[in-house]
């Protein structure tokens, strides 16, 4: 008698990776919007009067509701109760609403409107939050920055909800398979959004020879529409999977508040969560100031206005080359033939060198920092596959912390020493940025696949939500702190390209040191309790 084995979408590698691609593309778009104003910080000061404190306060507002109104905790409960597909579409819709509000806040239409008057006269004092020193607004904050902060708060709710939903979705589709590789690949593609933002935000802001920051944010809004479409397509794929497996989106065993207690009582969970907040706080807030930091520490000379390097077409060419770097490097990980593998690696490396040369010729800080995720795209799948088959996740977190410390100290002390050396400074910047991106790739490949080893599958959505909530405390605090430290250590400086960034960078290196200590403690706890963080995912 022949037995028919029923296969599901999850059993098809093509379908699994298609689902991953949809989720990754949505996060790619959200990463672009998250930092859409970062490469044009100087233009925001010149055109909207945002000093570093206003800029940092607005950037930190992204996670305000997640942290202080506990929205992320509710998002985790929604995810556990309603399932991946409902929460994915909801998060996409919330991100789009927030993006539209932020776009209007920085638009020319907002200037002189009744809304501008209202925001100028209001929200200068928020009871309780002002007393605690955590208000998302302050007396004298530009009205456009206040309203943009409101939109960014809403966007942040959707973005972080999407983050935990995507992580849960990957677990659903890849558990028992190549999960770390999938998570690493998703983050590698999503982080290309950082490079895309760094290249195209200034491109749209300066398009046609006139400066308009509105165009940059409008570009981000269009991408958020695409993100919502990706989540809707995923909705139908996920629904078909459940129809095949007979699984229900809502769990038979309902969520209980006591589940949170179970998570919080686990020391391994706390070590992973604290390591996460320290590490991410040293990266994401830095991204928001990185372009301005390079502008302040590199000797950049604008190319002649009539040259190829000053035109708009060079931006498109450079971005295409960047995509070749990423695509060839990423694809090389999946080649069985050594000749094909090494050919793709050579193409990726040659393209990377070409990209760096073009960034040097353009004398553009934003295109220099755009190399940040490129090495990560190449090595994240390698690291994810290594964790899947060999383990050593906790050791990777320790290595990532060491690299993080080295990079921030290099930016703080070595890069400024090369100011005046047009070639040397840019070479140091490129190498440090690439290493920083590589260190960042160690976290998703090692940390996120470790969470299912710490908590029960029924409450994994809540576990991710708690980690993201703790992480968001740092993502709210440190953009604000960097802005305040910049203003306090650079009194009287109005030129946004003349700030001294030493103090903020040393602060970020301190976060890396704390993460290193926690990583070492995590290794000891893992060995003592047998959590399995150093063990492979596929056995």
């Amino acid at each position: 008698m022949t037995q028919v084995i029923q296969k599901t979408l999850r059993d098809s590698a093509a379908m699994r990776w298609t689902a991953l691609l949809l989720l990754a593309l949505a996060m790619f778009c959200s990463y672009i919007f998250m930092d859409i104003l970062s490469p044009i910080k100087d233009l925001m000061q010149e055109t909207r009067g945002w000093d570093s404190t206003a800029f940092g306060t607005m950037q930190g507002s992204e996670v305000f509701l997640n942290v202080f109104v506990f929205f992320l905790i509710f998002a985790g409960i929604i995810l556990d109760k309603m399932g991946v597909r409902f929460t994915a579409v909801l998060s996409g819709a919330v991100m789009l609403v927030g993006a539209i509000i932020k776009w209007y806040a920085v638009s020319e239409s907002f200037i002189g409107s009744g809304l501008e008057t209202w925001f100028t006269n209001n929200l200068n004092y928020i009871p309780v939050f002002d007393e605690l020193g955590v208000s998302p607004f302050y007396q004298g904050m530009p009205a456009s920055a206040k309203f943009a902060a409101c939109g960014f708060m809403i966007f942040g709710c959707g973005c972080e909800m999407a983050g935990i939903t995507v992580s849960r979705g990957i677990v659903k589709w890849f558990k028992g398979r190549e999960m770390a590789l999938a998570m690493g690949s998703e983050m590698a593609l999503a982080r290309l959004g950082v490079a895309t933002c760094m290249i195209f935000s200034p491109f749209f802001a300066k398009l046609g020879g006139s400066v308009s920051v509105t165009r940059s944010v409008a570009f981000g809004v269009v991408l958020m529409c695409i993100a919502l479409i990706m989540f809707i397509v995923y909705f139908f794929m996920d629904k078909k999977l459940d129809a095949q497996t007979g699984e229900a989106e809502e769990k038979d065993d309902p969520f209980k508040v006591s589940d949170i207690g179970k998570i919080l009582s686990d020391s391994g969970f706390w070590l992973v969560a604290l390591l996460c907040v320290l590490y991410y706080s040293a990266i994401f807030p830095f991204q928001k100031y990185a372009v301005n930091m390079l502008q302040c520490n590199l000797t950049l000379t604008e190319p002649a206005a009539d040259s190829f390097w000053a035109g708009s077409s060079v931006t498109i060419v450079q971005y295409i080359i960047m995509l070749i770097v990423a695509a060839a490097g990423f694809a090389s990980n999946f080649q069985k033939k050594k000749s094909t593998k090494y050919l793709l690696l050579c193409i990726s490396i040659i393209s990377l060198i070409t990209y760096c040369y073009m960034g040097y010729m353009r004398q553009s800080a934003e295109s220099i920092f755009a190399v940040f995720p490129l090495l990560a795209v190449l090595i994240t799948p390698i690291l994810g596959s290594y964790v899947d088959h060999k383990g050593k996740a906790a050791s990777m977190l320790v290595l990532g912390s060491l690299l993080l410390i080295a990079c921030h100290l290099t930016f703080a002390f070595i890069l400024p020493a090369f100011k005046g050396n047009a070639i040397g400074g840019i070479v140091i910047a490129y190498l440090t940025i690439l290493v920083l991106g590589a260190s960042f790739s160690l976290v998703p490949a090692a940390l996120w696949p470790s969470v299912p080893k710490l908590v029960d599958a029924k409450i994994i959505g809540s576990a991710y939500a708690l980690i993201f909530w703790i992480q968001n405390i740092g993502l709210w605090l440190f953009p604000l702190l960097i802005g305040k430290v910049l203003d306090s250590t650079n009194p009287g400086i109005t030129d946004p390209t003349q700030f001294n960034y030493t103090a903020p960078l040393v602060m970020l290196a301190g976060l890396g040191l704390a993460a290193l200590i926690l990583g070492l403690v995590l290794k000891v706890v893992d060995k003592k309790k047998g959590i399995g963080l150093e063990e492979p995912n596929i056995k």
Side-chain angles (χ1 to χ4, degrees):
M1 185 174 69
T2 304
Q3 184 179 8
V4 178
I5 300 175
Q6 180 69 37
K7 285 197 170 184
T8 67
L9 291 177
R10 190 162 46 200
D11 296 317
S12 166
M15 290 295 100
R16 282 199 309 275
W17 287 91
T18 298
L20 178 74
L21 182 62
L22 291 170
L23 296 173
L25 284 174
M27 295 309 294
F28 168 83
C29 294
S30 71
Y31 268 55
I32 293 176
F33 192 85
M34 188 188 303
D35 280 319
I36 199 71
L37 295 182
S38 300
I40 54 174
K41 176 181 179 291
D42 56 328
L43 298 182
M44 296 308 300
Q45 181 164 340
E46 293 169 5
T47 64
R48 296 295 184 270
W50 295 13
D51 61 12
S52 294
T53 299
F55 183 83
T57 303
M58 191 285 303
Q59 294 283 38
S61 69
E62 178 196 357
V63 296
F64 181 83
L65 294 178
N66 290 323
V67 173
F68 296 106
V69 188
F70 304 103
F71 182 82
L72 254 178
I73 307 301
F74 297 124
I77 296 173
I78 292 170
L79 177 57
D80 281 332
K81 290 283 286 181
M82 303 302 295
V84 173
R85 58 178 176 265
F86 172 86
T87 315
V89 175
L90 177 63
S91 64
V94 172
M95 284 194 291
L96 179 58
V97 170
I100 292 172
I101 293 173
K102 186 174 179 179
W103 164 76
Y104 181 71
V106 301
S107 70
E108 282 76 12
S109 300
F110 180 76
I111 300 173
S113 67
L115 267 177
E116 182 184 38
T117 302
W118 190 90
F119 274 93
T120 299
N121 298 329
N122 294 277
L123 299 181
N124 295 310
Y125 171 75
I126 311 294
V128 180
F129 289 108
D130 266 281
E131 277 74 16
L132 293 174
V134 297
S135 176
F137 314 109
Y138 61 87
Q139 180 75 39
M141 185 176 181
S144 57
K146 288 182 187 174
F147 194 36
C150 292
F152 212 25
M153 287 179 201
I154 296 171
F155 168 84
C157 289
C159 187
E160 296 303 321
M161 185 193 294
I164 60 173
T165 303
V166 167
S167 296
R168 176 67 172 272
I170 294 173
V171 171
K172 179 176 182 177
W173 283 78
F174 284 87
K175 191 169 186 179
R177 297 176 174 87
E178 55 281 87
M179 186 166 64
L181 175 61
M183 285 193 171
S185 299
E186 181 269 325
M187 288 307 299
L189 178 58
R191 285 190 184 130
L192 273 179
V194 178
T196 304
C197 172
M198 296 299 161
I199 289 177
F200 281 105
S201 180
F203 171 78
F204 283 110
K206 300 173 183 176
L207 191 64
S210 63
V211 173
S212 173
V213 295
T214 311
R215 287 193 296 260
S216 295
V217 186
F219 164 65
V221 171
V222 171
L223 291 174
M224 295 321 304
C225 293
I226 295 173
L228 179 57
I229 293 170
M230 294 297 102
F231 279 138
I232 291 172
V233 175
Y234 173 82
F235 178 97
F236 290 104
M237 277 194 71
D238 194 79
K239 187 174 182 180
K240 185 174 181 180
L241 173 65
D242 282 351
Q244 291 176 335
T245 61
E247 296 173 0
E249 275 282 275
E250 294 186 61
K251 309 294 180 291
D252 294 328
D253 188 6
F255 175 87
K256 300 186 293 292
V257 175
S258 60
D259 292 334
I260 294 181
K262 294 176 185 176
I263 300 170
L264 296 179
S265 63
D266 188 285
S267 60
F269 166 82
W270 273 109
L271 286 171
V272 169
L274 292 175
L275 201 156
C276 176
V277 68
L278 290 168
Y279 197 88
Y280 275 69
S281 294
I283 294 286
F284 282 126
F286 170 72
Q287 283 179 195
K288 300 180 186 303
Y289 291 88
V291 170
N292 187 232
M293 183 275 295
L294 292 176
Q295 291 171 336
C296 295
N297 286 307
L298 295 176
T299 301
L300 300 173
T301 305
E302 286 191 18
D306 58 348
S307 71
F308 167 74
W309 303 109
S312 58
S313 59
V314 68
T315 302
I316 308 298
V317 173
Q318 194 176 20
Y319 187 65
I320 292 172
I321 292 173
M322 186 196 77
L323 293 179
I324 294 172
V325 175
F330 186 80
S332 69
N333 291 282
F334 304 94
Q335 305 304 313
K336 294 181 179 179
K337 287 185 178 181
K338 285 191 175 181
S339 58
T340 306
K341 180 184 182 72
Y342 291 131
L343 174 62
L344 288 171
L345 277 174
C346 287
I347 292 173
S348 182
I349 293 170
I350 291 171
S351 300
L352 178 60
I353 294 171
T354 304
Y355 175 92
C356 292
Y357 172 74
M358 293 183 73
Y360 166 74
M361 292 301 295
R362 291 184 67 191
Q363 294 287 289
S364 164
E366 50 267 24
S367 66
I368 290 172
F369 185 71
V371 302
F372 173 66
L374 295 187
L375 191 57
V377 172
L378 171 62
I379 71 171
T380 299
I382 298 174
L383 296 172
S385 181
Y386 186 86
V387 172
D388 279 332
H389 294 91
K390 301 292 184 181
K392 304 297 181 185
S395 299
M396 286 190 179
L397 295 175
V398 170
L399 177 59
S401 300
L402 284 169
L403 293 175
L404 180 68
I405 296 167
C407 289
H408 281 313
L409 291 179
T410 299
F411 285 133
F413 298 107
I414 296 178
L415 185 62
F418 280 82
K419 190 166 186 178
N421 186 330
I423 297 177
I426 290 179
V427 169
I428 293 293
Y430 270 134
L431 292 175
T432 310
I433 293 166
L434 284 168
V435 172
L436 184 65
S439 77
F440 197 17
S441 67
L442 291 162
V443 175
L447 190 147
W448 298 120
S450 300
V451 178
K453 297 179 180 180
L454 298 169
V455 299
D456 185 82
K458 181 183 75 67
I459 54 174
I460 194 171
S462 299
Y464 278 123
L466 284 168
I467 291 177
F468 273 59
W469 178 71
I470 295 168
Q471 169 190 316
N472 271 226
I473 295 173
L475 300 187
W476 159 77
L477 177 63
F478 283 94
L480 177 64
L481 280 181
I482 293 172
K484 287 183 176 294
V485 170
L486 268 180
D487 280 338
S488 63
T489 56
N490 294 273
I493 295 180
T494 56
D495 186 345
T497 64
Q498 297 300 318
F499 292 125
N500 185 326
Y501 267 84
T502 303
L505 289 167
V506 170
M507 177 177 67
L508 296 178
L511 293 178
L513 178 60
L516 173 63
I517 295 170
L518 277 181
L520 293 172
V521 173
L522 182 63
K523 280 178 64 86
V524 173
V525 171
D526 174 59
K527 187 174 181 180
K528 184 178 179 180
K529 292 193 172 185
I531 297 172
L533 298 182
E534 294 284 85
E535 295 178 5
N537 293 321
I538 300 174
K539 300 181 181 178

